[in-house]
């Protein structure tokens, strides 16, 4: 927070916007150190987990959230009654790197199908469940490679788990992937096995028309809703996740239908114009 405090003290901004609960703690400390009198707007991706966390977020002059489930959960906290909903934006990328070139650059097999998961490697993401799903999918198909993008303290443990399950050869791990925007045009399926803000890369997946198989959580339901853009899978039985993912990979007609509905949902519910308009409304209020 000392670095943030230094920036605020030197620049004296009229408005400070914090993104994510982690920044709420940093900015709250910086405001005390600098006695900054400008507006402080806090953007929240996930509901506060504790009363203390909610109290820190509540110190903001404005609180904006981008998930309807977060709105509901936040209003159940006594200190977080005054919040505003801002729909997130689903944007398609223009990068047009060819499949063969992309495969060569990041070590994939261009002749195989690719799945993608973007998530922090923490317990809530349940990547262990994803690895087990990869193992089950391999029984039916050996022509699939899996891309996992994310960093976190569980990376080494998860890689060892993949080795034990004997699926490590089919998984490509990236803590950071600058070519990720180019990847969306070549991925056949997006997978999300736990609770992740925005469902990881579900919004980008909708814009590109990539079908998704995700565990049914409030963040993933916020993105997919009751649309046919993807499949929301219950936690139990555990085999259902791999079964539905395999079904989508094998059923081209179903993938095409999911793709069309995903693009339509992105256009109707998550346009960048609507998101930007709401943000500017908050900034100008």
């Amino acid at each position: 927070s000392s670095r943030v405090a230094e920036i605020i003290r030197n620049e004296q901004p009229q408005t400070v916007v914090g993104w994510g609960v982690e920044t709420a703690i940093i900015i709250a400390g910086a405001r005390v150190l600098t006695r900054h009198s400008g507006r402080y707007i806090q953007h929240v991706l996930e509901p506060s987990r504790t009363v203390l966390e909610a109290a820190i977020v509540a110190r903001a002059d404005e609180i904006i959230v981008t998930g309807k489930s977060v709105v509901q959960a936040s209003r159940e906290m006594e200190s977080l009654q005054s919040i505003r909903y801002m729909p997130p934006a689903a944007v398609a990328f223009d990068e047009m790197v060819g499949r063969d070139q992309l495969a060569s650059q990041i070590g994939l097999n261009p002749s195989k199908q690719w799945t993608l998961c973007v998530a922090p490697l923490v317990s809530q993401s349940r990547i262990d469940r994803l690895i087990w799903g990869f193992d089950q999918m391999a029984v039916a198909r050996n022509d699939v490679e899996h891309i996992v993008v994310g960093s976190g303290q569980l990376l080494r443990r998860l890689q060892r788990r993949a080795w034990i399950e004997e699926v490590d050869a089919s998984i490509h791990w990236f803590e950071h992937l600058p070519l990720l925007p180019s990847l969306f045009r070549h991925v056949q399926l997006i997978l999300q096995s736990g609770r992740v803000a925005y469902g990881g890369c579900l919004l980008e997946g909708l814009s590109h028309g990539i079908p998704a198989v995700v565990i049914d959580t409030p963040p993933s339901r916020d993105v997919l809703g009751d649309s046919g853009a993807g499949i929301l899978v219950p936690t139990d039985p555990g085999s259902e996740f791999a079964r539905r993912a395999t079904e989508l990979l094998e059923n081209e007609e179903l993938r095409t239908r999911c793709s069309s509905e995903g693009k339509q949902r992105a256009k109707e519910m998550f346009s960048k114009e609507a998101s930007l308009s709401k943000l500017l409304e908050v900034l100008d209020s």
Side-chain angles (χ1 to χ4, degrees):
S1 62
S2 60
R3 176 58 178 155
V4 175
E6 181 183 351
I7 294 172
I8 292 175
R9 185 183 295 112
N10 292 339
E11 301 297 332
Q12 289 297 308
Q14 290 182 316
T15 302
V16 175
V17 181
W19 297 82
V21 172
E22 295 80 4
T23 63
I25 300 171
I26 296 172
I27 295 175
R31 291 185 89 191
V32 172
L33 292 173
T34 62
R35 298 182 181 179
H36 179 250
S37 59
R39 289 176 71 211
Y40 164 35
I41 299 172
Q42 181 61 50
H43 176 270
V44 178
L45 302 174
E46 288 276 340
S48 297
R49 290 163 290 188
T50 65
V51 174
L52 176 60
E53 196 174 88
I56 293 172
V57 171
R59 299 186 67 176
D61 300 305
E62 296 270 3
I63 302 170
I64 55 177
V65 300
T66 50
K68 292 186 177 179
S69 64
V70 183
V71 173
Q72 181 178 351
S74 297
R75 285 179 175 160
E76 292 174 359
M77 306 285 286
E78 186 175 345
S79 58
L80 293 177
Q81 295 297 306
S82 179
I83 57 178
R84 302 173 71 167
Y85 172 69
M86 182 185 77
V91 180
F93 299 106
D94 295 328
E95 283 78 358
M96 294 294 290
V97 178
R99 186 178 180 87
D100 288 344
Q101 180 183 351
L102 186 62
S104 175
Q105 288 183 276
I106 61 178
L108 299 175
N109 185 333
S111 66
K112 292 189 175 184
Q113 293 182 303
W114 300 344
T115 75
L116 173 65
C117 173
V118 177
L121 304 185
V122 296
S123 58
Q124 274 191 316
S125 301
R126 292 303 308 271
I127 304 299
D128 56 326
R129 181 188 288 148
L130 187 68
I131 292 172
W132 190 82
F134 292 161
D135 182 40
Q136 297 299 300
M137 292 170 67
V139 174
R141 304 188 65 96
N142 62 1
D143 62 342
V144 183
E145 290 189 323
H146 309 287
I147 304 152
V148 180
V149 181
S151 60
Q153 59 186 4
L154 297 182
L155 175 60
R156 296 290 176 260
R157 185 186 304 176
L158 292 168
Q159 288 177 327
R160 178 169 175 76
R161 173 72 178 270
W163 178 76
I164 292 172
E165 298 281 354
E166 298 183 347
V167 292
D168 53 309
S170 67
I171 305 176
H172 300 264
W173 303 88
F174 299 94
E175 292 190 62
H176 306 284
L177 186 58
L179 286 171
L180 181 60
S182 301
L183 194 58
F184 284 101
R185 296 189 182 277
H186 305 289
V187 168
Q188 279 66 55
L189 197 61
I190 286 177
L191 302 175
Q192 192 57 259
S193 54
R195 183 178 181 125
V196 180
Y198 297 142
C201 61
L202 285 184
L203 286 168
E204 293 82 0
L206 288 181
S207 293
H208 289 87
I210 307 171
V213 176
V214 299
I215 292 296
D216 191 351
T217 65
S220 59
R221 185 167 284 277
D222 281 344
V223 176
L224 294 181
D226 294 322
S227 73
I231 300 174
L232 291 166
V233 181
T235 304
D236 295 314
S239 59
E240 187 69 0
F241 186 82
R243 187 184 75 80
R244 300 309 298 271
T246 302
E247 177 187 4
L248 261 178
L249 287 174
E250 294 181 340
N251 190 329
E252 185 175 354
E253 181 180 345
L254 179 58
R255 287 204 312 274
T256 300
R257 188 163 64 248
C258 287
S259 176
S260 176
E261 295 202 25
K263 290 179 180 178
Q264 187 65 27
R265 182 166 175 80
K267 181 179 179 181
E268 293 178 354
M269 303 295 295
F270 304 115
S271 74
K272 61 182 179 181
E273 292 80 13
S275 183
L276 179 59
S277 175
K278 193 66 176 180
L279 177 59
L280 292 176
E281 179 185 315
V282 173
L283 292 174
D284 292 339
S285 63

